[in-house]
Amino acid sequence: MFTGIIEAVGEISQLHNNGSDIRLTVQCHDLDMTDVALGDSIATNGVCLTVVEFGDNYYCADVSQETIKYTGFSDYCTGAKVNLEKAMLPTSRFGGHIVSGHVDGVGHVTKIIDQQKYIEVWVHMPPEIRHYIAHKGSITVDGVSLTVNEITEDEFMLWLIPHTLEKTVISTYKVGTRVNLEVDVIARYLERLMQGGHGANNQAPQSDISMAFLAENGYLNRK
């Protein structure tokens, strides 16, 4: 599990095609590797990857064709910058939100507006995840835990402060840049609960959770 608080920015130094997958090597001079072991997870632009080889300032991971198909990894090349976060420890400060490292969809940047004290970034979201994204809710963009400040039918807007731009790859975004998106895991489980767990098996009981129940217990704003 991750928090979406980026620890370092790395650089892809090698991409080796093994036929069924790609062996990725990431240079990570600013990431503390002293507590990393084989099999550990490192979120790489929001994608949970397993370390199969590492040194003092690099690690290697195998990226499957399935991962490439459903993330922005199909656009990456040698020299590309990537956000890095090691899996959190039970004793870590929880600074962001619950991030699994499992990408739900790929969006793309539609507008970047300089507001002097912050940058306004608009992202087009895939239709299949729109209903999970809420105003003032959390979303992970290339592994960064961010707050949705405005939302339309097919786009959402983020406010990026200078610190975030300095410490992540978001400063390199341009109109058209494709980004990995992971929605809030609580939204996914809440939807499943409201559906009564249908899909897991044909014997799933009907859930007692309804919109009225959520409102009565303080989970929804009532006007």
Side-chain angles (χ1 to χ4, degrees), residues 1-161:
M1 187 174 75
F2 308 93
T3 67
I5 304 300
I6 301 306
E7 297 179 73
V9 172
E11 180 178 320
I12 297 175
S13 60
Q14 292 183 33
L15 288 168
H16 181 69
N17 194 332
N18 294 324
S20 60
D21 54 37
I22 289 178
R23 173 66 59 90
L24 179 81
T25 302
V26 178
Q27 295 294 323
C28 48
H29 298 281
D30 295 327
L31 188 69
D32 181 10
M33 298 291 287
T34 58
D35 59 350
V36 172
L38 289 178
D40 280 0
S41 297
I42 297 180
T44 307
N45 257 17
V47 180
C48 178
L49 297 179
T50 300
V51 175
V52 297
E53 180 186 330
F54 71 96
D56 292 338
N57 55 18
Y58 80 94
Y59 68 90
C60 299
D62 293 328
V63 184
S64 69
Q65 293 298 323
E66 184 79 359
T67 299
I68 293 170
K69 179 180 178 181
Y70 290 104
T71 69
F73 268 78
S74 59
D75 298 336
Y76 298 170
C77 58
T78 300
K81 304 291 185 181
V82 286
N83 293 319
L84 305 177
E85 181 190 357
K86 294 183 291 186
M88 69 174 294
L89 299 171
T91 55
S92 300
R93 186 185 299 275
F94 207 127
H97 72 282
I98 298 173
V99 177
S100 67
H102 301 155
V103 173
D104 294 299
V106 177
H108 66 270
V109 176
T110 59
K111 286 179 287 188
I112 301 176
I113 304 171
D114 189 347
Q115 300 287 11
Q116 296 185 340
K117 292 186 177 181
Y118 63 90
I119 300 295
E120 190 176 302
V121 177
W122 286 85
V123 178
H124 180 273
M125 49 190 167
E128 62 271 18
I129 65 171
R130 290 175 186 169
H131 62 293
Y132 293 116
I133 302 174
H135 180 237
K136 295 302 180 183
S138 297
I139 190 163
T140 308
V141 180
D142 278 346
V144 185
S145 173
L146 297 168
T147 299
V148 175
N149 292 103
E150 192 172 330
I151 190 167
T152 67
E153 184 178 348
D154 57 3
E155 295 180 329
F156 63 88
M157 185 265 283
L158 308 165
W159 288 340
L160 286 307
I161 61 174

Side-chain angles (χ1 to χ4, degrees), residues 197-217:
H198 291 303
N201 55 62
N202 294 329
Q203 305 299 320
Q206 182 64 39
S207 172
D208 292 329
I209 296 176
S210 64
M211 296 301 288
F213 173 89
L214 294 173
E216 290 171 3
N217 289 274

